[in-house]
Amino acid sequence: VQACALPIFPIVPAYIEGTFEVLPKGKSFLKPKKVRAFIGKPIYPNKVPLQGNNRTLRSAYNQLTEMLQEAVMELKEFSHATN
């Protein structure tokens, strides 16, 4: 995959905690509750080293998706550790 095939802009992982308490499923009115946002370090897709057989654009995007999912899960774990 050529580096120019991936976006050059950063993707910033984020985890937002407490939104369900503010607007529970099926409800129409907001409740005043605490909401916290955790912002991760930007990931630059065109600078991510491709691993293994990631020679296609699809596999590069799959690898990038996995990285972003891991980053969001780390932010979620961090949010629970700071409660």
Side-chain angles (χ1 to χ4, degrees):
V1 175
Q2 296 176 354
C4 64
L6 295 173
I8 59 170
F9 53 85
I11 299 172
V12 181
Y15 176 73
I16 303 172
E17 176 183 80
T19 57
F20 181 79
E21 289 78 13
V22 171
L23 186 62
K25 186 175 182 177
K27 300 293 181 179
S28 300
F29 296 100
L30 297 174
K31 295 180 179 182
K33 299 286 182 177
K34 183 178 179 180
V35 174
R36 300 188 314 165
F38 297 85
I39 310 299
K41 294 181 181 180
I43 297 172
Y44 294 87
N46 64 333
K47 295 183 180 178
V48 172
L50 300 177
Q51 300 172 354
N53 295 333
N54 288 336
R55 302 279 184 245
T56 67
L57 187 57
R58 177 181 295 267
S59 59
Y61 275 110
N62 287 342
Q63 180 181 338
L64 181 59
T65 299
E66 287 178 19
M67 290 178 65
L68 290 167
Q69 288 173 334
E70 289 175 15
V72 171
M73 290 308 295
E74 288 175 9
L75 291 170
K76 181 179 180 180
E77 290 170 8
F78 177 77
S79 77
H80 292 296
T82 61
N83 273 339

